[in-house]
Amino acid sequence: MLTKIWSAANYGLKAVEIEIEVNVADKGFPGFSVVGLASKSGEEAKERVKTAILNSDFEFPVARITINLAPADLPKDGSFFDLPLAIGILASNLEVIPPPEKSYFFGELGLDGTLRHTRGVFLLAILAKENGIKNIFVPRECANEAAVIDGIKVYPVKNLHEIVNHLNKVKEIVPLHTIVVDDEEMAGPEFDFAEILGQEFAKRALEIAAAGGHNVFMVGPPGSGKTMLSRAIPGILPPLAETESLEVTKIYSITGNIPAGGSLIRQRPFRSPHHTTSQVGLIGGGSNPRPGEISMAHRGVLFLDEFPEFTRASLESLRQPLEDGFITVSRAIGSVVFPAQIMLIAASNPCACGFLGDPKKECKCNLHQIANYQKRLSGPIMDRIDIHLTVPAVDVNKLMNDKEKYTGETSATIRSRVIKAREIQKARFTGLRGIHDNADMKNKHLKVFAKLTDSANMLLKQAVNKFNLSARTYFRLIKVSRTIADLDNSENINNAHIAEALQFRVREE
Amino acid sequence: MNIQKNWPIKTIEKADFPEQLKRITNCPKKLNYRGIWNNKIFDKSIAIVGSRRMSQYGKWVVEKFVPELVAHKFAIISGFMYGVDTTAHKETLGCGGVTVAVLGGGLNVFTPSENEKIYWEILEHGGLIISEYDNDFLPTLWSFPQRNRIVSGLSKDGVIVIEATMKSGSLITARLATEQGKKLYAVPGPINYSLSVGVNYLIKEKGAIMATSPEDITTKKLSIYQLSIDNYDPLEKEIIKYLIIEPLTTDELAKKLGKNISLISQKLMIMSMENKITEDLAKWRTI
């Protein structure tokens, strides 16, 4: 007997409808085979499904079972078709009546028949809506992901028993209510800027970076607060707009990073991969392409601590996505585009031991080591970073003694200024494709959008001579001063703006 | 600029050495050298030695002392290693002065290799490169301290120590200088800097002359350095007031002045553009 069940496989950032044909033949030697380019985890579905059916006290047919996953030429990654497989087999056994209208079944089975958290439910729901599917059956733990999409009925399924009872109309499962996205609702960041004592200069630099979407490079000895500062950045970025939130949720769903019961991602991502992360782990890839850390940080912050310790290949591979805001992974079967609009925060010690220039501790590196350490950072990747910042060590005793003197601004206050500056930029760049903030500006845009007053121009020229600025540094400097002027709500860039921007230049020895 | 690199290696016998070198114990029998030897070079000469791991402060000291010494026509003798030595050679060349490098290896061995350019520039500017070792001798742990006796021995007007830890070659040079009866100068530093411990020790225990300005060495004052801040605006005056005491970060200054960080950082940048202050390693200091 032939039964057809529908589900969806993920490819890149899209779900593709999969038709699952289950044939239970009375003739032939008893067996169980899956065809249609299932991955290893898919092949193993046979064992999971068989055991789950038996452990749920259903009959498993002693017959020749053939499963076909169509389209047959698309590789299907993951364990999502455990549930449709089980339903198909039970239906051919007449233990369950499949729904008359086309529905999607999706989820991995445990050996006891319960459904597990499965990645990609959010994309399934989007596909269901596009294809006009009314009902989808997904594991209860990740059903909230799908419930964000309106116009479809999402059935949270706990185990095989529950779904069989539902389909046989013995005991129906109540579909989830659509979750309404509230723009105001957003979890707070890990750290508030007010919690970080001192480092006002660094905070100001990060405010400018957040306002203009500039990448930042921080150099400072261990313990100066680089990591803490970075972790606080999501809190001063504007809240995720709904469309942005959907983009982020897609990526999080496909990588299985939405926690059980979680739905739409409302907070800007903050990713801090370790420096041993492979190139594929960083930018994405694999035979069935998966997004990397740079895409996981889409619309948020990618924090690379110990920046020089990353392999050369990893660092170089960041160049293209930093420029384009997306990354294309090409494979024999086709290419996949993952978004990667990130704010890069790179941090480094001044030298391998970390104490170069520290007044108290002696640096133990020799000149060769220092040169080697800093050489790793030179080159094109540094050209994509607008703000260069030295974070000096803080004197702990001093901090403890005048604790009450530090009344830093809260992240919320800073964020309100950032939002204002971003609005100015939004108005400025309407109609320009691919340019969202000041950091995206190309040299030709600077002429139009970044007008300097005469005295600012003079100051800039002086600076070029005094500090020997390269042409690239020069243009980056104007971009940063444009953002400072925006924070100041000023149409033109004046002296003060240039002077402040000058402190964030690359120090070339 | 095309640098000439075909300077021949010559040898000079003890009999032709400058008098002050002949007198030292353990005087070498002959020296190999590149350049044009003239004993007049050493008539007014001073040795500068210091840590290989020079700090920004050490660099600042070299850059403050050397131009003044060169202006007084001193030849600067040093050991060609990185850190204070290299900076002293470089700074002398930058000021158009004559400098003499005494190598810890043979004349055909460039140690450190990145200094090769300076090597030829020293010759180009009428200086000398000297070694007591065979031309292809690779420097070793003992050859550096050994050549130190020549560094101090060649100098007529003394040895200046700029930054030294307690266990450094610079202290060896300082000991040799005293034994050879040379004047010993040391530039003091903050007592909590490891690089200052050695020099402060020389002043405190070994009777080195404390040199806090080039005039302490040149004895005659050529230029009087004075901070005139009369035409500065009130905020600038206040900033200078704090910076005269100690170098400060932007953060520290903003806090002391109770002013907005962005405003202070703009002001500091403009002041540095006007050469009123300078910045290194995130700290501002007066010029």
Side-chain angles (χ1 to χ4, degrees), chain B:
Chain B
M1 189 176 79
N2 267 329
I3 299 174
Q4 195 196 337
K5 291 192 181 177
N6 52 357
W7 290 87
I9 293 176
K10 293 177 197 160
T11 305
I12 183 166
E13 298 295 330
K14 185 176 174 182
D16 301 323
F17 285 176
E19 285 304 316
Q20 67 264 31
L21 181 61
K22 277 187 207 168
R23 279 200 302 268
I24 69 168
T25 46
N26 231 335
C27 176
K29 292 193 174 59
K30 60 182 180 59
L31 287 173
N32 300 321
Y33 70 95
R34 274 192 168 109
I36 300 152
W37 191 289
N38 182 347
N39 278 346
K40 280 206 174 113
I41 293 177
F42 301 101
D43 283 352
K44 202 170 183 191
S45 62
I46 196 151
I48 294 183
V49 297
S51 176
R52 296 181 182 183
R53 212 176 282 137
M54 176 184 56
S55 74
Q56 287 294 317
Y57 168 71
K59 188 159 182 260
W60 181 87
V61 171
V62 175
E63 286 167 358
K64 194 172 167 74
F65 276 58
V66 169
E68 203 78 9
L69 294 170
V70 171
H72 280 87
K73 304 273 185 259
F74 279 98
I76 308 291
I77 305 165
S78 196
F80 205 64
M81 271 318 278
Y82 38 72
V84 169
D85 289 6
T86 298
T87 317
H89 288 306
K90 257 194 204 164
E91 192 62 29
T92 313
L93 295 173
C95 302
V98 171
T99 179
V100 176
V102 186
L103 305 190
L107 285 173
N108 287 336
V109 182
F110 302 103
T111 314
S113 52
E114 61 264 29
N115 272 8
E116 196 191 326
K117 197 168 155 242
I118 304 172
Y119 187 106
W120 302 115
E121 274 178 13
I122 288 174
L123 299 173
E124 198 86 358
H125 283 76
L128 289 168
I129 310 276
I130 300 174
S131 168
E132 62 177 308
Y133 306 108
D134 290 339
N135 294 337
D136 295 314
F137 178 83
L138 290 174
T140 65
L141 269 182
W142 54 263
S143 66
F144 285 113
Q146 199 181 45
R147 63 98 211 255
N148 285 352
R149 76 186 195 288
I150 305 176
V151 173
S152 73
L154 277 172
S155 73
K156 179 102 184 204
D157 299 274
V159 174
I160 312 173
V161 186
I162 298 170
E163 295 209 311
T165 55
M166 274 313 278
K167 274 198 238 163
S168 63
S170 308
L171 285 206
I172 298 178
T173 315
R175 178 173 53 81
L176 293 168
T178 337
E179 285 168 12
Q180 294 167 359
K182 310 272 177 186
K183 262 190 186 167
L184 179 63
Y185 300 93
V187 182
I191 57 173
N192 58 351
Y193 266 50
S194 60
L195 284 170
S196 304
V197 179
V199 278
N200 290 351
Y201 161 82
L202 287 178
I203 296 167
K204 196 173 165 190
E205 306 283 345
K206 295 288 163 186
I209 302 164
M210 181 157 78
T212 54
S213 82
E215 287 85 51
D216 291 334
I217 298 156
T218 58
T219 58
K220 204 168 63 189
K221 290 196 176 188
L222 256 193
S223 63
I224 297 161
Y225 172 71
Q226 212 176 5
L227 205 59
S228 83
I229 56 169
D230 298 339
N231 55 344
Y232 286 20
D233 71 29
L235 180 57
E236 288 180 339
K237 277 182 189 162
E238 258 193 284
I239 290 173
I240 293 287
K241 209 174 78 196
Y242 283 112
L243 289 186
I244 280 180
I245 304 167
E246 56 176 340
L248 293 168
T249 63
T250 314
D251 259 79
E252 289 163 341
L253 265 171
K255 207 155 137 312
K256 282 188 196 292
L257 295 163
K259 291 262 168 34
N260 176 288
I261 186 89
S262 145
L263 182 105
I264 289 296
S265 74
Q266 290 166 3
K267 189 79 204 170
L268 288 168
M269 199 64 220
I270 289 178
M271 285 176 75
S272 96
M273 294 290 301
E274 290 166 353
N275 288 324
K276 291 172 179 166
I277 52 173
T278 162
E279 182 199 15
D280 52 44
L281 288 173
K283 285 202 177 194
W284 299 95
R285 58 169 90 238
T286 51
I287 296 231

